[in-house]
Amino acid sequence: MIQIPRDISSPRQPTGLRLAVSATLVAWLGGCATTPQPDAHVTAPVPPQYADWFDGGQPRTLEWMHKNTVEKAQQLLEQGRSQQAIAELETLMQKGLPKGYYEMAKIFDQGKGVPPDPERAARLYSEAIKTPSYITGNASLNLAKLYREGRGVERNDVLAYYLIQQAIEEEVGPRAQAAMAELLVEGGNGVKADPEQAAALYRRAAEADNATALEALAKAHGPGGWLAEDRGLASQYAQRYAELLEQDARAGDVGAMNQLAGVFAEDGLMGNQPQRHMHWLNKAAEAGDPGALSRAGRALVEGNAPQRGLAMLEQAALDGDTSAMETLGKLMLEGNANVPASPERAQHWLSAAIAQGSVDAQVTLGRALLEGEGLPANPRRGVELLKKAGERDDALALALLGAYYLGDEGHASQPMQAREYLERANELGHPYATQQLGQMYLEGNGVPADGQRAEALLKDAADQGQTAALRMLGEAYLEGEVLPYHPSKAEELLTRAADAGDASAKTALGAGYLEGTLQQRQPSRGVALLEEAAREGDAYAMVVLGRAYRKGDGVPRDLGKASEWLNRAREAGHGSAEDALSRLRYDQGKAGNINALVQAAEDGHPGSMARLGEAFLNGRGVQQNLGAARSWLQRAASEGHPGASADLGRMYLEGKGVARDPARGARYLQQAVAGGHVGARGDLGKLLLTGEGVSADPERGMRLLEQAAARGNSGARLALADALLEGEHVAQDTQRGIELLRESAEAGNDYAAQRLGAAYLEGKGVEPDPQQAKTWLTQASEAGSLSARTLLGTALLRGEGGMSVDAARGRRLLEQAAEQGHAGAQATLGRELLRGETLGQDLRQGADYLLEAARQGHETARLALAKAYLTANGLENANREQALLWLDEVMDGDGEMAAQTLHDLLSDQDAMQALQVASAER
């Protein structure tokens, strides 16, 4: 390939030269030759290595010396004897005659009897213009076209500009004017656009009936053209263009016939005129043009004569037309109402087109074999064909390869390989590849998640018509993970995708309106969109509707409708439908229809087995039956249900309905963890941390707790906080423990708030802070924590931890906790009423509170009562264990008799005094 240096820049010309340039163009229009010089349209002079193309050397016309030779060569070409024609012209080239180089260049430029060779044609044209002659203008113009198109040479718009300028100076006429106009319409690399001058040049060429100019002006004045829209003027130019073509077509010009057929096509300049379109296609086909035969065949197959069209396509294919082979292959691969699919014939014609070098056929056949569409799947052969097409920079082939390596159906996913193909396809401008690449960066699939890069790629793909990219962006803005949460942007993008017909976008938009994740909750609009998406076959829309009716979220609760939608989703094959149905059956069971859940479990649905086992375990919707619970949970666990494994693990850890077996419980928890169950991860972490019944592994236990906490498991977070605060089994880290407690407390966890309040009260891991202690203990108390009420009540009663005394509120909190059975509150009230210091003394009520606390096993209450018994019997130094046994015997008896026995005991002054002393010791 001829190389042209890219760096041909020179100082820009001042804008004041515009008038001078206009004068130059006027000179061109008048036919005056000028020496090519930089002007306001170009940014560089003629490159030095090409100066001899424009230096006006010694002319050598001598037409009379070679006229006969040229005519003979042309006759030989018409007879199909191209090699003899070439030999004749070589005699002129040996003499250095420009005409010989020019005629030889045209042979290789146009492929007259030889394969086209634009690189060789460019060298020959350049030799033709080195010596001035009467063919300099035409040779310059033809060479300029090669540089404009980058055929055989590196594209160079500046050099093309000077060559066209030379052609104008050589008075080539309308062809050169049209070529310069085409260059100035949009400009090029190093050539500035000048639509005004382009229009003037086109009009001058059109006055001379130049077909190129007439066509260009018809388009320019039409809708979306670059000149002022004028349908009348556009029609006039189009009519004149058609008349010129018709003259040439009637004279036998096959190219004109094809162009004329295009003028009358659906998107042609003269509008859709099917009869005239087919007339000229048939004329071109009859003239032996396989391409026209192929196009006519396609039109008939799509129209009302499919069999005739097929025959024409097959004839064109047999005549070597690659396009016809491609068309037949695709048609017989897919089939339609008029043409039955024929896989064998499809593969035959696509293979024939591939043998002719068709990249399109490689992609079509490769895709069919890769995906098993229309042909038996053969991924290895499909990938091989697509790779060959990819080597020739076919963007679709690269995009398909990227999608293949991203997937994992029948092969291991290879994200890095996929990324390479998608990057190349993206650089080539394939929108589907751009979308896939954006999705990779959005999901962090094989690449680090990068919201900025994902956003740019998906926007680019959306601008190119990929509605799925609009949806992905909208969903990402709604999720607020990789991209910032932005509901208004999400709504706008999802609406655009939904309006474009994307059913999944309708589902996402409908769910957003129904669930309130968009700016404004609009349940009725959400349901309408979801039902529309469901009618279009979107199974997830059915799931969302089923869940909404099950929960009564945005719609009236209706388990019947929920069942209808979720069953439809399951029939449509949505993976989450079965789990949602098992939850529905669970709800139906709680509502009295436990048979629905039993039936689903007996049908073998793991989720329903797990739900039924859980129902029997907790007595929800059925009478508690731990044996049945274990049976159903084991069946579900054997099917791989992680929730069932987690429940079984806890049963064996607690000895609930089974013999306590921590090792077996740990194995079930491990199964649940492997299945992704977050709660099991926390439970196993706590077990390994303490090593109760299993081999302790504090390091792994902490790691599991960290993972579960990071996934939002509140129990794991609290266990982690406790471990770090206490420093048991792991290195103590009170600061981190406090941080974890604060996170949970701020999220509304009452136990975390209680623990945090106690830490500030006791100064454990933090500086004592009575106000913080009061705030967090109050939060936990109001959330219903009896332990928090007891802690706060005791602190207010006694002024512990630096808290201001508020005996009335403290007593009220303790009495509330005591009434609800909190042994610690009962013991504290009992002691305080017996002592009579912070509260008025009430020996009988105090003793009653201690008795209630002792009945629940409260150790200090039990010891105080036992000490009173020993003292009353003169046995202060006797065995305390004997006293506790006596106490157990009394409390295990009749309740009223036990209370009376203890009251009789406490009527002894010495016993009461001993009780007061013991209570004061706490």
Side-chain angles (χ1 to χ4, degrees):
M1 181 177 287
I2 297 175
Q3 300 296 317
I4 296 296
R6 290 188 177 273
D7 185 11
I8 54 173
S9 61
S10 67
R12 292 182 178 272
Q13 300 296 322
T15 56
L17 286 179
R18 181 174 179 83
L19 293 175
V21 170
S22 298
T24 300
L25 285 169
V26 169
W28 292 348
L29 294 173
C32 298
T34 61
T35 302
Q37 294 294 328
D39 56 38
H41 290 113
V42 286
T43 59
V46 173
Q49 63 268 43
Y50 304 113
D52 58 350
W53 295 357
F54 308 97
D55 63 3
Q58 184 66 34
R60 294 190 61 187
T61 53
L62 303 175
E63 184 177 358
W64 61 272
M65 291 181 62
H66 54 252
K67 182 178 180 181
N68 292 337
T69 304
V70 171
E71 288 178 352
K72 184 177 180 181
Q74 290 172 344
Q75 289 171 2
L76 289 168
L77 284 172
E78 290 171 3
Q79 295 166 10
R81 299 160 66 188
S82 55
Q83 292 306 316
Q84 290 94 322
I86 288 171
E88 288 292 332
L89 293 174
E90 281 178 343
T91 63
L92 299 180
M93 290 166 53
Q94 290 167 3
K95 297 175 183 178
L97 294 174
K99 181 68 171 176
Y101 290 111
Y102 173 64
E103 294 295 335
M104 186 73 84
K106 287 197 295 181
I107 290 175
F108 290 102
D109 189 3
Q110 300 167 20
K112 293 181 177 180
V114 295
D117 188 344
E119 185 175 353
R120 187 172 180 182
R123 287 199 302 269
L124 291 165
Y125 282 135
S126 67
E127 289 296 326
I129 63 174
K130 285 180 181 177
T131 303
S133 71
Y134 67 95
I135 55 86
T136 295
N138 286 308
S140 296
L141 188 58
N142 289 357
L143 184 56
K145 185 177 180 184
L146 293 178
Y147 275 102
R148 280 280 286 141
E149 297 171 356
R151 285 195 304 120
V153 292
E154 186 175 350
R155 178 169 174 168
N156 190 322
D157 292 327
V158 170
L159 193 54
Y161 178 88
Y162 285 119
L163 286 166
I164 297 170
Q165 185 185 45
Q166 180 159 272
I168 290 174
E169 292 169 353
E170 290 292 322
E171 300 182 357
V172 169
R175 281 200 314 123
Q177 294 163 0
M180 182 62 81
E182 182 183 0
L183 179 56
L184 294 179
V185 169
E186 296 181 356
N189 187 14
V191 178
K192 296 179 181 179
D194 190 342
E196 183 181 345
Q197 295 289 4
L201 286 162
Y202 269 140
R203 283 194 288 268
R204 184 63 180 273
E207 289 172 5
D209 283 336
N210 177 266
T212 301
L214 290 168
E215 181 187 20
L217 288 169
K219 292 177 179 178
H221 284 292
W226 52 275
L227 291 174
E229 184 173 341
D230 188 329
R231 293 177 183 269
L233 195 54
S235 178
Q236 290 176 29
Y237 282 123
Q239 183 65 45
R240 287 173 59 195
Y241 174 57
E243 289 169 359
L244 279 178
L245 290 176
E246 191 163 350
Q247 290 175 15
D248 293 339
R250 293 190 184 282
D253 187 326
V254 178
M257 297 174 192
N258 280 315
Q259 288 176 281
L260 203 52
V263 167
F264 296 114
E266 186 173 356
D267 57 351
L269 290 175
M270 296 297 291
N272 190 21
Q273 299 186 43
Q275 289 185 336
R276 299 183 76 177
H277 171 70
M278 285 303 302
H279 170 79
W280 288 111
L281 270 184
N282 283 322
K283 284 291 184 183
E286 290 166 6
D289 181 5
L293 193 63
S294 173
R295 289 192 295 277
R298 279 199 298 272
L300 291 172
V301 165
E302 295 166 2
N304 56 5
Q307 295 309 312
R308 183 182 169 207
L310 273 179
M312 293 177 77
L313 282 169
E314 290 189 349
Q315 184 59 56
L318 291 171
D319 289 343
D321 186 76
T322 306
S323 175
M325 299 174 191
E326 294 168 358
T327 302
L328 282 168
K330 291 177 183 177
L331 189 61
M332 293 181 174
L333 187 65
E334 300 165 1
N336 59 33
N338 297 321
V339 181
S342 176
E344 290 184 5
R345 296 291 292 162
Q347 193 157 359
H348 164 78
W349 285 118
L350 289 171
S351 297
I354 291 169
Q356 295 287 334
S358 169
V359 176
D360 188 38
Q362 278 182 327
V363 176
T364 302
L365 184 56
R367 184 177 197 170
L369 292 170
L370 187 67
E371 300 173 356
E373 293 185 0
L375 292 172
N378 186 344
R380 184 189 62 78
R381 173 65 175 150
V383 167
E384 180 185 327
L385 286 167
L386 291 173
K387 282 184 175 179
K388 287 181 178 177
E391 288 168 3
R392 296 170 68 177
D393 283 338
D394 185 90
L396 175 57
L398 294 167
L400 290 170
L401 285 167
Y404 173 76
Y405 284 111
L406 268 182
D408 57 4
E409 190 172 339
H411 66 284
S413 177
Q414 299 181 49
M416 296 305 296
Q417 184 75 48
R419 179 187 172 188
E420 289 180 17
Y421 283 117
L422 293 176
E423 288 283 10
R424 285 176 58 198
N426 174 53
E427 289 170 5
L428 291 167
H430 199 284
Y432 178 56
T434 305
Q435 175 186 301
Q436 289 185 96
L437 198 57
Q439 187 175 5
M440 285 186 74
Y441 280 102
L442 193 64
E443 298 173 353
N445 183 10
V447 294
D450 185 338
Q452 188 173 1
R453 174 101 164 109
E455 185 178 39
L457 286 164
L458 290 173
K459 282 182 177 178
D460 188 12
D463 290 342
Q464 297 180 70
Q466 295 291 306
T467 56
L470 285 170
R471 169 173 49 79
M472 289 175 195
L473 266 178
E475 290 173 338
Y477 284 128
L478 203 55
E479 290 165 3
E481 294 179 3
V482 180
L483 293 178
Y485 175 62
H486 203 309
S488 61
K489 279 187 179 180
E491 184 175 7
E492 186 262 331
L493 289 164
L494 289 172
T495 300
R496 284 171 59 193
D499 290 344
D502 189 305
S504 296
K506 293 175 185 176
T507 298
L509 193 61
Y513 284 131
L514 187 63
E515 297 165 2
T517 52
L518 292 172
Q519 283 184 302
Q520 188 175 1
R521 189 169 192 178
Q522 301 180 51
S524 60
R525 187 176 179 188
V527 168
L529 280 164
L530 288 165
E531 288 180 347
E532 186 178 339
R535 285 195 298 273
E536 293 172 11
D538 191 284
Y540 185 58
M542 304 171 195
V543 172
V544 175
L545 283 165
R547 287 173 179 166
Y549 280 111
R550 180 178 73 83
K551 298 176 183 177
D553 187 10
V555 292
R557 193 166 192 249
D558 189 328
L559 298 184
K561 282 188 177 180
S563 178
E564 178 187 344
W565 281 114
L566 291 174
N567 276 300
R568 285 180 61 183
R570 184 176 66 179
E571 290 166 7
H574 198 280
S576 66
E578 182 51 48
D579 184 63
L581 271 169
S582 70
R583 293 173 186 272
L584 171 64
R585 295 181 188 112
Y586 186 83
D587 286 350
Q588 290 172 325
K590 288 176 68 176
N593 186 11
I594 195 65
N595 292 330
L597 190 57
V598 173
Q599 182 62 52
E602 290 176 346
D603 286 345
H605 300 136
S608 299
M609 296 177 194
R611 295 287 175 193
L612 185 58
E614 186 184 357
F616 279 121
L617 181 64
N618 300 312
R620 292 177 183 167
V622 291
Q623 185 175 355
Q624 188 180 46
N625 184 331
L626 298 179
R630 178 172 56 83
S631 175
W632 282 113
L633 289 172
Q634 283 179 333
R635 286 181 62 181
S638 68
E639 294 289 336
H641 195 284
S645 297
D647 282 338
L648 277 169
R650 296 184 188 110
M651 287 181 74
Y652 279 102
L653 288 181
E654 299 167 9
K656 188 175 182 178
V658 293
R660 188 172 183 273
D661 188 341
R664 191 171 184 182
R667 288 197 295 274
Y668 275 118
L669 289 175
Q670 185 62 56
Q671 288 179 24
V673 168
H677 196 281
V678 176
R681 194 177 295 271
D683 291 337
L684 185 59
K686 285 185 277 188
L687 185 63
L688 293 174
L689 193 64
T690 60
E692 294 180 10
V694 297
S695 298
D697 187 346
E699 184 177 347
R700 187 177 177 221
M702 288 294 286
R703 188 164 61 249
L704 287 167
L705 287 172
E706 290 276 12
Q707 292 169 354
R711 288 166 172 78
N713 185 269
S714 58
R717 184 180 290 162
L718 293 174
L720 191 61
D722 282 341
L724 294 169
L725 280 172
E726 301 297 334
E728 294 182 10
H729 314 294
V730 296
Q732 190 174 35
D733 186 344
T734 55
Q735 184 177 354
R736 175 91 197 288
I738 291 294
E739 286 174 0
L740 288 166
L741 285 177
R742 185 180 296 277
E743 288 174 9
S744 294
E746 288 174 348
N749 186 287
D750 60 325
Y751 177 71
Q754 174 208 315
R755 293 280 285 118
L756 190 58
Y760 278 111
L761 188 66
E762 300 165 9
K764 190 169 187 177
V766 289
E767 289 294 323
D769 188 330
Q771 187 56 48
Q772 287 267 36
K774 188 174 183 180
T775 297
W776 292 114
L777 288 172
T778 298
Q779 176 179 312
S781 298
E782 292 175 352
S785 171
L786 300 182
S787 296
R789 285 182 190 173
T790 301
L791 278 172
L792 182 57
T794 303
L796 290 169
L797 198 64
R798 297 173 177 164
E800 292 179 345
M803 198 173 290
S804 300
V805 172
D806 186 343
R809 186 184 174 202
R811 180 171 186 167
R812 188 165 60 252
L813 287 166
L814 286 166
E815 286 176 343
Q816 289 171 358
E819 286 168 7
Q820 294 181 62
H822 193 278
Q826 292 166 346
T828 299
L829 278 170
R831 286 193 294 264
E832 295 302 325
L833 289 168
L834 289 171
R835 290 169 60 201
E837 294 179 4
T838 55
L839 299 177
Q841 191 175 54
D842 187 332
L843 299 179
R844 188 176 185 84
Q845 189 177 10
D848 285 342
Y849 273 126
L850 278 180
L851 176 60
E852 288 300 319
R855 280 176 169 160
Q856 295 191 67
H858 193 280
E859 192 63 25
T860 59
R862 283 166 51 80
L863 289 173
L865 288 171
K867 192 166 185 177
Y869 164 74
L870 292 171
T871 301
N873 291 278
L875 301 170
E876 292 90 338
N877 300 316
N879 189 331
R880 190 172 66 174
E881 296 303 319
Q882 290 294 324
L884 289 172
L885 286 172
W886 166 82
L887 184 63
D888 288 338
E889 289 176 8
V890 172
M891 290 191 299
D892 289 342
D894 180 79
E896 290 186 10
M897 287 184 63
Q900 187 57 47
T901 299
L902 290 171
H903 286 146
D904 290 344
L905 165 69
L906 297 178
S907 64
D908 182 278
Q909 188 174 358
D910 291 337
M912 180 57 73
Q913 187 176 359
L915 182 60
Q916 290 173 319
V917 171
S919 297
E921 293 172 354
R922 285 183 287 173

